[in-house]
Amino acid sequence: MQRSEKILDLLAIHRTMSIHQLKEELFCSTSSLRRDLIDLEATGSIRRIRGGATLVSGTNFDYSSQFRNNLQVKEKEHISDIARDFVTNGMSLFLDSSSTVIKLCPYLDQLRNITVATNGLHTSLLLGNSTHINTFITGGQLLNRSATLLGEEATDWIAHMKADLAFISCRGVDADGIYDADIRQAKIKQAMLMNAKKTILLVDNTKIGTHFFHRICTFSQLHAIVTDQEPSETLKQAIENQGCLLLY
């Protein structure tokens, strides 16, 4: 992983860090760090402040796959343990490239005659080790840092398939629906949703109560939402009023 990517991941956790703190984490010189911060500020991802840097509020960049895979691990395992009950032998599935949905892979290996289509490189590699799963991976552009295939090629490929279930995640959930930070991510999840009989959203508590620029769908378009904590009463009512199951 490049140093600039590590800086973004550190700031995603701490929001604001001093030059001294960043140097200790990255084992680099002050001059090298300052050059990286200048480059990152030019992209709009961070803002340099006196003696350090801070992550721009509401920034829409995608965290690296390595960073995402190490977040909320127990919560994601709890979610996948609930979600596994939706899948039975002989089903066809869409799986997005999220670090939450990938936790389903060990459970799928216990089933028979499962067909999976995914835009996640890590997901396809995990499933490729199973003799019980037929795995297909989309084409498209490889998104830097996230091991994800996106773009028109990926969404068009999904649009020509039909699945029993789609398992997707997102970057934010509020009373008006679910969101992603990247329009390309939103579009492929919409393609999966439109071409599956039912769609299950897997989302941990850190995404609840937040929104991003690109809305994927409303709750009425989902069969169920699986999370790890009970949401607020307002959000529960919004979900249930639109006929969507809520499990936690």
Side-chain angles (χ1 to χ4, degrees):
M1 185 186 296
Q2 294 183 354
R3 191 167 56 238
S4 60
E5 296 175 357
K6 293 179 181 178
I7 292 170
L8 288 175
D9 288 347
L10 286 168
L11 290 176
I13 299 171
H14 302 289
R15 305 301 296 182
T16 300
M17 295 182 72
S18 68
I19 294 292
H20 177 71
Q21 289 171 321
L22 287 167
K23 283 175 57 181
E24 283 194 335
E25 292 284 347
L26 299 168
F27 304 103
C28 65
S29 67
T30 300
S31 60
S32 295
L33 178 58
R34 289 190 190 280
R35 284 195 298 271
D36 289 336
L37 294 178
I38 290 170
D39 290 341
L40 285 171
E41 187 175 45
T43 70
S45 300
I46 71 160
R47 180 168 55 87
R48 288 187 297 152
I49 58 175
R50 185 177 178 85
T54 186
L55 192 69
V56 172
S57 179
T59 186
N60 278 353
F61 73 84
D62 274 300
Y63 304 127
S64 70
S65 57
Q66 180 180 341
F67 173 73
R68 289 185 289 113
N69 288 338
N70 291 324
L71 282 180
Q72 303 290 106
V73 174
K74 290 183 179 180
E75 290 82 357
K76 291 172 184 176
E77 289 174 347
H78 171 78
I79 290 167
S80 62
D81 193 45
I82 298 172
R84 65 190 291 190
D85 291 337
F86 286 100
V87 188
T88 58
N89 293 330
M91 277 190 164
S92 56
L93 312 174
F94 291 139
L95 303 183
D96 75 8
S97 61
S98 66
S99 60
T100 306
V101 171
I102 201 173
K103 296 296 184 184
L104 277 174
C105 292
Y107 298 120
L108 298 182
D109 193 35
Q110 300 171 21
L111 300 174
R112 294 291 184 273
N113 194 27
I114 297 293
T115 300
V116 172
T118 182
N119 69 318
L121 292 183
H122 294 326
T123 304
S124 64
L125 289 173
L126 279 174
L127 296 175
N129 292 322
S130 174
T131 58
H132 314 306
I133 302 172
N134 298 311
T135 305
F136 296 87
I137 187 167
T138 71
Q141 180 184 4
L142 178 61
L143 184 64
N144 293 341
R145 294 161 37 87
S146 72
T148 299
L149 291 165
L150 296 174
E152 289 186 8
E153 295 90 344
T155 53
D156 288 349
W157 190 82
I158 291 293
H160 285 87
M161 306 189 80
K162 193 75 176 178
D164 296 309
L165 291 177
F167 288 97
I168 65 172
S169 191
C170 65
R171 287 285 295 276
V173 180
D174 70 10
D176 293 319
I178 71 171
Y179 304 84
D180 216 299
D182 187 310
I183 190 171
R184 296 166 297 175
Q185 293 275 22
K187 282 184 177 296
I188 196 159
K189 292 173 187 189
Q190 288 167 342
M192 290 179 175
L193 184 153
M194 293 297 294
N195 292 281
K197 294 177 183 177
K198 295 178 180 179
T199 298
I200 317 296
L201 177 72
L202 310 185
V203 60
D204 69 69
N205 68 86
T206 63
K207 316 290 179 60
I208 304 296
T210 63
H211 69 272
F212 287 81
F213 191 70
H214 306 288
R215 187 165 71 168
I216 298 169
C217 68
T218 61
F219 302 131
S220 63
Q221 296 170 273
L222 300 172
H223 177 69
I225 295 175
V226 184
T227 186
D228 59 292
Q229 290 184 15
E230 183 178 8
S232 68
E233 191 61 33
T234 300
L235 185 54
K236 283 174 61 178
Q237 286 297 318
I239 293 169
E240 293 168 357
N241 287 346
Q242 294 189 48
C244 180
L245 295 174
L246 176 63
L247 304 172
Y248 50 87

